[in-house]
Amino acid sequence: MSTNKQITVEGHQFEIVTEQTRAGWRAEVVNTVKTAFAFDPTFMSEEEAIAHASDALRSRDVSDFLG
């Protein structure tokens, strides 16, 4: 099962894609040119995966995710 969540950071659109695996939830950030940035850890819940990706987008230089 996977879910997509739209988020805007500093005027840039991103999609947070989560996927449930046997090991837990995975998250990746996809920018408007469809470059994906995956996070290595797995999370206990989808909400935790989304929160981690959202926090990363907001706390780091957004240009790191623009491709």
Side-chain angles (χ1 to χ4, degrees), residues 35-56:
T35 303
F37 301 87
F39 295 95
D40 287 334
T42 56
F43 303 93
M44 296 297 290
S45 69
E46 182 178 30
E47 293 78 18
E48 187 181 345
I50 290 170
H52 180 84
S54 296
D55 289 347

Side-chain angles (χ1 to χ4, degrees), residues 10-11 14 19-20 29-30 42 44 50 53 57-58 60 63:
E10 296 181 20
F14 297 95
E19 179 181 20
Q20 187 175 21
V29 171
V30 181
T42 56
M44 296 297 290
I50 290 170
L57 280 167
R58 291 186 178 108
R60 291 175 52 185
S63 65

Side-chain angles (χ1 to χ4, degrees), residues 3-67:
T3 305
N4 300 355
K5 175 181 171 49
Q6 301 295 319
I7 185 170
T8 302
V9 178
E10 296 181 20
H12 300 281
Q13 287 280 112
F14 297 95
E15 185 173 27
I16 298 173
V17 179
T18 58
E19 179 181 20
Q20 187 175 21
T21 67
R22 283 188 275 159
W25 287 89
R26 294 185 38 81
E28 68 181 20
V29 171
V30 181
N31 62 24
T32 56
V33 295
K34 303 300 181 200
T35 303
F37 301 87
F39 295 95
D40 287 334
T42 56
F43 303 93
M44 296 297 290
S45 69
E46 182 178 30
E47 293 78 18
E48 187 181 345
I50 290 170
H52 180 84
S54 296
D55 289 347
L57 280 167
R58 291 186 178 108
S59 66
R60 291 175 52 185
D61 185 344
V62 75
S63 65
D64 290 347
F65 297 99
L66 296 178

